[in-house]
Amino acid sequence: DTEVTQTPKHLVMGMTNKKSLKCEQHMGHRAMYWYKQKAKKPPELMFVYSYEKLSINESVPSRFSPECPNSSLLNLHLHALQPEDSALYLCASSQPDRGSTDTQYFGPGTRLTVL
Amino acid sequence: DAKTTQPNSMESNEEEPVHLPCNHSTISGTDYIHWYRQLPSQGPEYVIHGLTSNVNNRMASLAIAEDRKSSTLILHRATLRDAAVYYCILRVLIAGGTSYGKLTFGQGTILTVHP
């Protein structure tokens, strides 16, 4: 099974709401990623977790709070977002490999709209 | 971050070969060249990767210039299902004893395939 699942598929939230995005994989991968993708733009890396520890935060505002409760799950907690945060949020996972083959497997994304 | 440059768009006819070019003049010796594609309404999908030698897999071939400053993704017989955005990416190994790479997506090439 090479599937990464993300829920919900779509999310509409107000600027004062708190919501969470969920990502799950059962491939035994120990690296997990959050990306943000604006319309007609490439994905941009936000966070990387390696072995359930946060290892990269690409200077993401604190209104985005990632969490990795176990090796299969990755959450992104959202609070006090701005309309410009509306985007497709993609989750990915890979098996860490110092060689070249840590292929990242992406989920279909959550389409977030902030009103 | 290491950067790649690709044409904004390319067109092809079904069942004809497609050559998608990519320039990466700032590539360093340990950077791998990865290609991903993103079909409409989906997350990115791994296509192929290489370091120095040309590579083939069931999806495509990757031709890497001798100086590694450019590469070409080759789809041998384009189908309508190959219509997607193709991203050429330099995978940079994360420093500090980690064993996974960071993908920095370029702008990508929109491939249109005509029946």
Side-chain angles (χ1 to χ4, degrees):
Chain A
D1 182 9
T2 58
E3 191 179 21
V4 175
T5 58
Q6 290 188 243
T7 53
K9 285 188 171 19
H10 301 275
L11 178 63
V12 179
M13 60 186 291
M15 289 190 285
T16 58
N17 292 156
K18 286 186 182 180
K19 296 286 185 184
S20 296
L21 309 184
K22 179 179 170 183
C23 173
E24 195 164 6
Q25 57 89 12
H26 295 287
M27 294 177 277
H29 291 171
R30 302 306 296 275
M32 296 187 77
Y33 311 76
W34 280 116
Y35 289 83
K36 174 181 177 180
Q37 185 174 26
K38 302 281 278 184
K40 299 192 187 304
K41 296 290 187 183
E44 295 178 350
L45 183 66
M46 300 174 71
F47 302 104
V48 182
Y49 273 82
S50 177
Y51 294 90
E52 295 88 69
K53 287 185 170 35
L54 182 65
S55 55
I56 293 180
N57 176 341
E58 293 282 272
S59 302
V60 178
S62 60
R63 57 186 184 270
F64 295 92
S65 175
E67 178 197 20
C68 190
N70 61 55
S71 60
S72 300
L73 272 178
L74 185 66
N75 298 320
L76 187 62
H77 302 298
L78 314 172
H79 173 56
L81 294 194
Q82 303 297 311
E84 59 265 29
D85 296 321
S86 298
L88 181 68
Y89 288 84
L90 293 160
C91 173
S93 70
S94 73
Q95 183 56 28
D97 178 355
R98 290 194 67 81
S100 69
T101 57
D102 59 335
T103 301
Q104 291 190 22
Y105 293 84
F106 285 80
T110 293
R111 177 81 54 194
L112 174 68
T113 303
V114 182
L115 300 176
Chain B
D1 285 339
K3 295 211 183 301
T4 61
T5 305
Q6 300 175 251
N8 288 336
S9 62
M10 291 187 67
E11 297 187 18
S12 173
N13 294 319
E14 205 174 7
E15 299 196 2
E16 289 185 356
V18 182
H19 291 234
L20 297 167
C22 180
N23 287 321
H24 28 78
S25 58
T26 60
I27 192 170
S28 72
T30 56
D31 293 344
Y32 280 80
I33 301 157
H34 281 234
W35 284 81
Y36 282 68
R37 71 181 185 181
Q38 188 170 20
L39 279 65
S41 303
Q42 294 189 24
E45 173 189 32
Y46 168 80
V47 177
I48 200 167
H49 75 276
L51 182 63
T52 57
S53 304
N54 295 345
V55 184
N56 300 299
N57 67 20
R58 64 175 179 81
M59 289 181 72
S61 295
L62 177 61
I64 301 173
E66 199 168 328
D67 63 5
R68 300 210 325 126
K69 292 185 187 299
S70 66
S71 61
T72 301
L73 178 71
I74 302 163
L75 306 179
H76 295 286
R77 291 182 67 194
T79 70
L80 296 178
R81 289 177 295 177
D82 291 322
V85 180
Y86 285 79
Y87 292 105
C88 171
I89 302 161
L90 296 184
R91 174 197 173 272
V92 178
L93 194 65
I94 305 296
T98 62
S99 54
Y100 56 88
K102 175 178 170 179
L103 300 181
T104 303
F105 285 73
Q107 292 302 307
T109 296
I110 301 170
L111 175 65
T112 301
V113 180
H114 299 291

